[in-house]
């Protein structure tokens, strides 16, 4: 075991996969000599050389598209979008190409690409360095979307994404990069994509969330435990396709469900989670499904007052969880 | 006296094969229009007018190692790379056995892994970065192969064209891009699509060689692609080839081409490569009247058999629509 930050878990997973399989290579903006603007690829250029850690021109569509071509050839590209907010020029490549290649070719071709991107707010990143973009991609069969919440999950899920034979979007919370640290096994392990994970067992209310909000909910749960409110917390980990069985089980367990995302509320991942619960758990519910999310404004403003207003935080989680428990 | 194809190192047999492949593409295409107008297949999108560029280029590549990322008109390319008339017809009829897509995609959306034909979509130009990706993989793996990507002149205005070619240019990747300039992007003519005098001049900004070639001359195209391939293998990077010809049909079976004058089409038909290249072979005494009849009969029966087979082949089961979203 070694204590590792969330971003060190990213770098470790990348390095170990590159050592394990010479088909794995990285491409993106500033990933080479600089080691990435967040230092996710630090040291890899020196260790593996230019063509395994390739600095690309400023071309998000080509980063995805060139990666897709290399993946069709049989490589294992890991493409980095510098910020999730900048993925938009690549959406055609991701949705029209990566997501549909296996299906449209009747299983003849496949695209084993991993596209990593830092997302999320609370870092004074304003409108274009704070967004959650998962819902743009979360109704595109053929794609998988992984959003890990802990260093342990990062290492196991990023390895799984790189080894997956289908395209995986891997969204890393940029505020978690250096905020979160924990013991991570030094040996090789993978975690299953498509499986949610119970991060706290509890019996009074159920919180279903993902990403950094998992930690906000866990912090709130510890406070509420002092008041005798026992929260069950399910971390989705993969937000597309959703782990329906785990969602149904977690919702049915307490009958009171709070869904949390830092994305804008309407049309977000948790709307689909609510639909799954509504379809399957009606007679187990003791309260209306509650949602805590960002407001429906285009994106997070820069000024600290407005940014704080937008962001989910432990206090907002605590209040929502208490309200639900008292319903 | 050495004739043109011998100078290029093309044998008499090979030059006849180029002609036969062009003619097969034309005949399949014409048959698909008939089938469409007879109400038997919903859609056709044509190669007519572009066979010389497609087949001439393909024969200059290594058809056992190189990868192609064709666009929807490239019937001549995929036939050259090993797709059969029967397989093309299975796609036209949307039958389960269609190797391109199992009847999932419209005709013209080619793809066949065993022949290294990358699967394509309908949004244009997305295949350019894919071809660059294959070339990058070849560089990483130190393989002596090139990727060959084609598109129309209208598509050369898309962002993926610029992003892909600049990427290839920066890393001198072995990718050959051939723009099949057929003068029209559906209804919009070249001068309303492209601000520069031609497409190949754009190569300069990508640090690669750019050439504009007569797209009705398969030997000229062969020569350009052959040279481009040699440069690519030598590590000298990509080439942008513009093959200028004319779209002899409407954009697709769903288009009427009222936006252009009939005399313009008639004029273009005078330089139809099937006629001009046939004449070249006749002048070289390679295509006698008897052989011409023999070839036509042979190809007609290939197309007939392919049509009959595909028409009678089964569709996919309805529930097959659920298959292969992810690895199974």
């Amino acid at each position: 075991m070694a204590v590792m930050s969330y971003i060190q878990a990213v770098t470790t997973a990348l390095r170990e996969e590159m050592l394990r399989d010479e088909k794995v290579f990285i491409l993106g903006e500033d990933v080479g000599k600089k080691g990435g603007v967040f230092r996710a690829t630090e040291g890899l250029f020196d260790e593996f050389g230019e063509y395994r850690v390739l600095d690309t021109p400023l071309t998000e569509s080509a980063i995805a598209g060139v990666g897709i071509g290399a993946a069709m050839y049989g490589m294992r590209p890991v493409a980095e979008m510098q910020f999730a907010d900048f993925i938009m020029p690549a959406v055609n490549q991701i949705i029209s190409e990566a997501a549909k290649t296996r299906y449209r070719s009747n299983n003849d071709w496949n695209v084993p690409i991993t596209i990593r991107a830092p997302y999320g707010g609370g870092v004074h990143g304003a409108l274009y360095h704070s967004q959650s973009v998962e819902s743009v991609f979360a109704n595109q069969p053929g794609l998988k979307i992984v959003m890990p919440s802990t260093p342990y999950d990062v290492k196991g899920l990023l390895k799984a994404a790189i080894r997956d034979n289908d395209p995986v979007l891997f969204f890393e919370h940029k505020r978690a990069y250096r905020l979160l640290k924990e013991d991570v096994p030094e040996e090789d392990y993978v975690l299953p994509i498509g499986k949610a994970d119970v991060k706290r067992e509890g019996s009074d209310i159920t919180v279903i969330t993902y990403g950094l909000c998992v930690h906000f909910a866990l912090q709130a749960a510890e406070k509420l435990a002092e008041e005798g409110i026992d929260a069950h917390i399910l971390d989705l980990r993969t937000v597309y396709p959703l782990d329906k069985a785990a969602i149904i089980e977690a919702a049915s367990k307490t009958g009171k469900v709070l869904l949390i995302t830092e994305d804008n509320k309407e049309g977000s991942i948790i709307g689909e989670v609510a639909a799954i619960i509504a379809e399957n758990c009606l007679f187990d519910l003791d309260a209306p499904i509650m949602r805590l999310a960002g407001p429906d404004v285009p994106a997070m403003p820069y000024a600290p007052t407005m940014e704080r207003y937008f962001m989910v935080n432990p206090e907002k989680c605590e209040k929502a969880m208490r309200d639900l428990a008292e319903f | 006296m050495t004739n043109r194809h011998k100078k290029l190192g093309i044998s008499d047999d090979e030059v006849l094969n180029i002609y036969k492949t062009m003619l097969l593409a034309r005949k399949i295409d014409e048959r698909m229009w008939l089938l469409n107008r007879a109400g038997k297949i919903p859609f056709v999108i044509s190669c007519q007018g572009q066979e010389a560029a497609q087949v001439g280029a393909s024969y200059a590549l290594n058809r056992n190692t190189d990868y192609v990322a064709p666009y929807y008109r490239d019937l001549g390319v995929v036939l050259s790379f090993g797709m059969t008339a029967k397989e093309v017809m299975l796609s036209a009829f949307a039958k389960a056995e269609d190797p391109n897509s199992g009847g999932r995609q419209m005709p013209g959306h080619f793809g066949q892994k065993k022949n290294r034909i990358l699967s394509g979509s309908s949004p244009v130009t997305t295949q350019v970065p894919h071809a660059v990706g294959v070339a990058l993989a070849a560089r990483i793996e130190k393989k002596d192969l090139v990727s060959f990507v084609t598109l129309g002149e209208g598509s050369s205005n898309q962002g993926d064209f610029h992003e892909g070619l600049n990427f290839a240019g920066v890393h001198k990747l072995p990718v050959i891009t051939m723009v099949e300039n057929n003068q029209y992007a559906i209804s919009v003519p070249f001068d309303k699509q492209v601000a520069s005098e031609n497409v190949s001049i754009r190569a300069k900004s990508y640090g690669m060689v750019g050439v504009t070639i007569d797209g009705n001359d398969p030997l000229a195209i062969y020569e350009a692609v052959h040279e481009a391939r040699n440069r690519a293998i030598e590590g000298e990077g990509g080439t942008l080839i513009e093959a200028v010809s004319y779209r002899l049909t409407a954009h697709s079976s769903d288009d009427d081409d009222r936006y252009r004058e009939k005399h313009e089409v008639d004029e273009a038909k005078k330089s139809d490569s099937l006629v001009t290249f046939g004449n070249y072979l006749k002048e070289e005494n390679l295509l006698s009247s008897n052989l011409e009849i023999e070839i036509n009969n042979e190809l007609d029966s290939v197309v007939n058999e392919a049509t009959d087979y595909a028409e009678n082949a089964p569709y996919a089961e309805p529930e097959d629509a659920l298959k292969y979203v992810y690895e199974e």
Side-chain angles (χ1 to χ4, degrees), chain B residues 63-275:
Chain B
R63 288 175 289 142
N64 296 311
T65 57
D66 294 343
Y67 281 66
V68 292
Y71 87 118
Y72 51 82
R73 296 198 190 281
D74 277 317
L75 185 51
V77 172
V78 299
L79 290 173
S80 301
F81 267 75
M83 198 178 291
T84 65
K86 190 170 93 173
E87 291 170 334
V88 172
M89 278 299 176
L90 284 162
S91 157
F93 280 96
K95 296 302 176 68
E97 248 188 289
D98 157 34
N100 298 278
S101 77
R104 291 172 175 209
Q105 293 221 73
M106 298 168 94
H109 293 62
F110 301 111
Q112 193 173 32
K113 194 172 189 177
K114 71 169 185 180
N115 286 319
R116 298 166 318 288
I117 300 166
L118 265 59
S119 167
S121 63
S122 306
V124 298
T125 329
T126 51
Q127 72 274 23
V128 172
H130 300 173
V132 177
V134 170
L136 174 62
R139 163 70 49 82
I140 295 171
E141 300 242 292
K142 300 185 169 63
K143 293 274 172 65
D144 275 344
L145 61 85
V146 308
S147 63
F148 174 67
V149 60
T150 55
L151 60 151
E153 79 283 358
S155 298
S156 74
N157 303 315
Q158 289 281 2
D160 272 351
F161 179 82
H162 179 63
E163 292 200 17
L165 264 61
N166 181 64
F167 195 119
V170 165
H171 293 286
K172 295 220 169 298
L173 296 176
V175 57
I176 301 169
T177 305
M178 184 170 84
V179 172
E180 297 179 29
N181 179 356
N182 66 9
Q183 319 285 342
Y184 284 92
I186 304 188
S187 67
V188 179
F190 182 83
D191 64 352
K192 291 281 192 279
Q193 282 286 345
V194 176
S196 50
E197 61 186 277
N198 58 38
V199 175
S200 68
I201 198 172
R202 292 175 170 181
K204 192 170 170 58
S205 64
Y206 306 125
M208 58 176 74
V209 175
V211 286
T212 296
I213 311 280
D214 177 3
N216 287 316
D217 183 348
L219 298 180
I221 297 287
Y222 180 101
E223 184 175 17
V225 174
H226 186 74
E227 287 171 2
R229 191 177 189 282
N230 286 343
R231 278 195 296 273
I233 294 293
E234 291 302 314
E236 292 168 29
T239 301
L240 174 60
I241 295 167
E242 178 183 19
V244 182
S245 66
Y246 190 84
R247 196 187 74 208
L248 296 177
T249 65
H251 165 69
S252 75
S253 52
D254 294 334
D255 174 40
D256 59 44
D257 52 354
R258 283 180 302 180
Y259 41 81
R260 60 184 186 181
E261 301 296 330
K262 186 173 177 303
H263 69 79
E264 186 183 294
V265 183
D266 292 339
E267 189 61 29
K269 281 182 178 166
K270 290 180 189 163
S271 34
D272 182 348
S273 65
L274 269 309
V275 177

Side-chain angles (χ1 to χ4, degrees), chain A:
Chain A
M1 289 286 201
V3 174
M4 212 177 268
S5 67
Y6 188 101
I7 195 162
Q8 283 169 332
V10 172
T11 314
T12 302
L14 290 170
R15 180 171 177 273
E16 289 181 10
E17 289 305 292
M18 292 177 77
L19 287 169
R20 185 188 62 79
D21 181 357
E22 60 182 23
K23 300 262 183 199
V24 177
F25 75 101
I26 295 168
L27 73 166
E29 294 158 7
D30 305 298
V31 298
K33 271 193 177 174
K34 182 174 167 64
V37 292
F38 289 100
R39 307 256 180 240
T41 52
E42 186 149 45
L44 301 180
F45 180 88
D46 289 336
E47 185 171 357
F48 295 100
E50 182 182 10
Y51 281 97
R52 301 270 318 268
V53 193
L54 187 65
D55 276 325
T56 66
L58 280 169
T59 51
E60 283 80 12
S61 184
I63 292 169
V66 170
I68 288 166
M72 288 173 85
Y73 172 89
M75 304 298 285
R76 296 266 159 184
V78 182
E80 178 178 303
M81 297 289 156
Q82 199 157 74
F83 286 84
D85 316 59
F86 305 161
I87 205 170
M88 299 309 161
V91 168
N92 192 31
Q93 284 291 346
I94 295 169
I95 290 182
S96 299
E97 304 299 322
K100 293 181 175 62
T101 296
R102 183 187 291 281
Y103 188 80
R104 77 183 185 213
S105 69
N106 202 29
N107 211 31
D108 194 26
W109 289 96
N110 65 309
V111 181
I113 190 174
T114 301
I115 299 176
R116 297 177 40 248
Y119 80 100
V123 296
H124 316 302
L127 275 75
Y128 300 105
H129 297 77
S130 301
Q131 291 174 41
S132 299
V133 301
E134 60 274 18
S135 63
V136 172
F137 301 98
N139 67 339
Q140 297 298 329
L143 292 181
K144 299 176 183 181
I145 309 174
V146 175
M147 302 182 74
S149 68
T150 68
Y152 174 81
D153 287 355
V154 164
K155 183 176 164 186
L157 285 166
L158 183 51
K159 281 167 167 271
I162 292 168
R163 297 180 198 182
D164 201 284
N165 288 326
D166 288 302
V168 179
L169 300 182
F170 196 89
F171 292 125
E172 301 155 7
H173 201 294
K174 67 176 84 71
R175 197 176 150 208
Y177 273 155
R178 288 179 170 77
L179 180 72
L180 303 179
K181 293 185 176 71
E182 67 178 346
D183 277 335
V184 175
E186 284 170 62
E187 62 266 29
D188 178 45
Y189 65 93
V190 291
L191 296 171
I193 294 174
K195 293 288 176 200
D197 184 48
V198 175
K199 288 290 196 279
R200 187 182 195 281
E201 291 281 355
S203 54
D204 295 327
I205 61 168
T206 296
V207 176
I208 303 177
T209 183
Y210 57 94
L212 189 63
C213 290
V214 171
H215 296 276
F216 298 158
L218 283 167
Q219 286 172 38
E222 291 314 308
K223 280 196 146 183
L224 291 167
E226 295 164 14
E227 301 171 25
I229 298 170
D230 189 19
H232 185 79
I233 297 176
L234 183 71
D235 177 4
L236 290 170
R237 292 203 299 201
T238 297
V239 301
Y240 191 82
L242 286 165
D243 184 351
K244 295 188 179 64
I247 290 167
I248 293 164
E249 188 186 341
S252 303
K253 186 176 184 194
T254 69
K256 289 184 169 183
V257 186
L258 171 67
L259 310 176
I260 306 175
T261 180
E262 69 168 85
D263 195 2
N264 313 100
K265 187 174 182 180
E266 187 170 340
S268 66
I269 296 289
I270 60 172
E272 184 61 27
V273 176
I276 291 167
I277 296 168
E279 281 177 343
N280 294 280
C281 309
L282 178 64
F283 300 108
D284 294 321
L285 292 182
D286 298 320
I289 297 166
M290 279 181 61
R291 287 189 287 170
L292 173 63
D296 290 315
V297 299
M300 207 171 297
Y302 187 47
T305 47
M306 290 189 284
E307 183 188 48
R308 266 200 302 275
Y309 180 81
F310 186 112
M311 269 299 281
V312 171
N313 59 36
E315 294 70 37
K316 289 180 186 178
C317 292
E318 185 186 327
K319 181 179 181 311
M321 287 159 74
R322 186 182 292 108
D323 287 350
L324 179 63
E326 290 170 354
F327 181 87

